[in-house]
Amino acid sequence: MQTASGRRLGVLDAARGFVLLNMLVYHLLYDLVALFGVRLSWFWEWQGTVWQQFIACGFIFLSGISCGFSRSNARRGAQLLGWGMALSLGTWLVMPQQIIRFGVLHFLGCAALLWALTGRFLERLPAGVLLTGGLLLFLLTNGTQWGYWGVWRLPLLELPAGLYTTRWLFPLGFPGPDFYSSDYFPLLPWIFLFWAGTAFHRVLENAPRLRRALAPQAPLLSALGRRTLVVYLLHQPVIYGLVWMWYRFCA
């Protein structure tokens, strides 16, 4: 990630690389457990959930920060959404039981496009207000796909059941009957975490000492973080292929 002066913030690149590395290991274990029958009971319990949420939150918050560094969020959003649609088509054709209907790339594409349309209005809010408000709204709306709003996973307000009877509101966070997506990141609640990331970018722009603290490079992680999209697009076919070959020829 580069500041307006062209200087890369190596720690942010490294953070994205670290999250990406966690994702690679998580998806390796997911393939082993979900597709090849390896028994890891903790993977479906709270430990696996916390790990998965850390990865998802890291990606989306960092992507929000990246909006401030992008020359064209409209082009960036269209590209990400296009790749998301390509993944939907690919999973539908090759592994329909693991179809991705609205995964993280769909979300990030839509979020960047929405920011291109509305960012100039949201930036009128003080950065601290948008950062704090975004984080709080993310926590309060985290149960949207399960039919409630509350504090994280503690229900306080039940949402109208009619929102979940249509098949077309799933991008917003209201999955309809028989909806399934092996990767699902709807706009609610994740858009609020994304907006919090955009606010943190403004905090960085106004904090030269913080920018200097984030400048050091971590060569391997930073290099990985600068290639997030390529790695994300290729990692599952590569991981699945390697695991399949191991079970086919070595196990």
Side-chain angles (χ1 to χ4, degrees), residues 53-67:
Q53 289 291 301
F54 162 76
I55 296 167
C57 290
F59 265 132
I60 290 172
F61 187 78
L62 288 166
S63 185
I65 297 174
S66 297
C67 267

Side-chain angles (χ1 to χ4, degrees), residues 137-139 141-145 172 186-193:
L137 287 170
F138 171 67
L139 293 175
T141 62
N142 197 263
T144 299
Q145 73 182 86
L172 298 179
L187 290 173
L188 293 176
W190 296 99
I191 193 65
F192 297 120
L193 185 62

Side-chain angles (χ1 to χ4, degrees), residues 7-219:
R7 186 177 186 182
R8 292 205 72 88
L9 299 180
V11 173
L12 294 183
D13 285 332
R16 193 159 53 184
F18 179 71
V19 174
L20 189 62
L21 187 61
N22 273 265
M23 182 200 71
L24 296 176
V25 178
Y26 180 89
H27 282 165
L28 170 62
L29 295 182
Y30 178 88
D31 286 355
L32 289 171
V33 173
L35 303 179
F36 290 89
V38 173
R39 295 179 61 85
L40 289 176
S41 60
W42 63 267
F43 190 79
W44 302 119
E45 296 176 359
W46 68 266
Q47 299 96 324
T49 300
V50 169
W51 189 18
Q52 188 271 343
Q53 289 291 301
F54 162 76
I55 296 167
C57 290
F59 265 132
I60 290 172
F61 187 78
L62 288 166
S63 185
I65 297 174
S66 297
C67 267
F69 298 110
S70 177
R71 294 180 180 178
S72 173
N73 281 301
R75 183 174 65 247
R76 175 171 170 255
Q79 179 190 39
L80 290 170
L81 184 57
W83 281 116
M85 297 300 291
L87 281 181
S88 292
L89 178 60
T91 52
W92 178 67
L93 291 173
V94 179
M95 298 181 68
Q97 73 277 15
Q98 293 292 319
I99 189 172
I100 298 174
R101 298 185 188 275
F102 201 84
V104 68
L105 288 184
H106 298 78
F107 166 78
L108 292 177
C110 289
L113 288 170
L114 285 172
W115 185 255
L117 293 173
T118 65
R120 63 184 181 276
F121 302 109
L122 289 171
E123 285 185 334
R124 295 176 184 176
L125 295 172
V129 171
L130 185 57
L131 176 60
T132 304
L135 293 175
L136 287 175
L137 287 170
F138 171 67
L139 293 175
L140 291 171
T141 62
N142 197 263
T144 299
Q145 73 182 86
W146 294 285
Y148 67 86
W149 288 347
V151 180
W152 192 242
R153 298 293 171 84
L154 175 64
L156 296 177
L157 174 66
E158 185 175 347
L159 298 175
L163 292 171
Y164 302 87
T165 60
T166 174
R167 297 181 184 275
W168 308 111
L169 292 180
F170 64 88
L172 298 179
F174 308 113
D178 302 322
F179 174 82
Y180 175 77
S181 180
S182 64
D183 188 36
Y184 184 44
F185 287 89
L187 290 173
L188 293 176
W190 296 99
I191 193 65
F192 297 120
L193 185 62
F194 185 89
W195 286 348
T198 66
F200 188 73
H201 169 263
R202 281 195 283 152
V203 172
L204 286 176
E205 288 295 303
N206 296 308
R209 289 185 179 179
L210 181 57
R211 290 200 305 274
R212 286 195 293 272
L214 296 178
Q217 299 286 324

